[in-house]
Amino acid sequence: MSSESTEVWTGWYRDRSGAEAIVITAYGRRVAVRIRGAEYAGESFAALAAADGQALTGCVLEWDLPLPVVVDGASQQATLSCLLTLGERSDLSLALHYGGAAFEACVAGGDFEGALDRVRRQLPPGADFGRRLLQPA
């Protein structure tokens, strides 16, 4: 039995053919999403690929997820907005909406953990995320 937790986030997929609602599943360090009947999975958002190895590209994925912030032991609600552009290169933009402010980071290559770390370093002293995302298996 695995101790990995599975998270499900809803969002949007957009490309030249239009937009559609999606569900992103994150478990351990893997993420997966079904788009127009095809399943894409990978070790990171920038590495999403179909079972045949076809990379997900030429699109934008956008989703929000709850990410509480803990200050002096008290958990406060916050929302992490994520925007991933997959094309010739991958760009990931994160914005944590917390306490009436937005803490933002943008990274090339789709490095989710790196972008989260940049957001974390902007938080007020004594504040940290109330949970971890995309944990090692």
Side-chain angles (χ1 to χ4, degrees):
M1 175 169 237
S2 172
S3 63
E4 293 178 9
S5 65
T6 299
E7 294 198 46
V8 177
W9 309 318
T10 59
W12 290 95
Y13 167 86
R14 291 181 185 86
D15 66 10
R16 289 184 179 144
S17 298
E20 73 174 56
I22 57 169
V23 175
I24 298 169
T25 305
Y27 48 98
R29 292 204 58 84
R30 293 192 57 81
V31 291
V33 61
R34 179 173 296 278
I35 299 168
R36 298 187 179 127
E39 182 80 19
Y40 295 87
E43 292 293 321
S44 70
F45 287 101
L48 287 169
D52 65 3
Q54 178 71 31
L56 183 59
T57 188
C59 65
V60 173
L61 301 177
E62 187 172 7
W63 69 101
D64 291 337
L65 60 108
L67 182 59
V69 172
V70 176
V71 180
D72 298 325
S75 182
Q76 300 175 20
Q77 290 183 332
T79 299
L80 184 67
S81 296
C82 310
L83 178 67
L84 176 64
T85 303
L86 296 170
E88 288 183 22
R89 70 176 211 182
S90 301
D91 292 314
L92 175 65
S93 298
L94 300 181
L96 180 71
H97 302 278
Y98 156 71
F103 302 90
E104 300 176 332
C106 184
V107 296
D111 177 12
F112 194 74
E113 288 300 318
L116 274 177
D117 188 51
R118 287 183 183 189
V119 170
R120 179 183 287 113
R121 291 190 309 240
Q122 296 173 45
L123 293 174
D128 199 0
F129 300 139
R131 64 188 178 96
R132 300 291 177 232
L133 302 170
L134 300 179
Q135 289 299 302

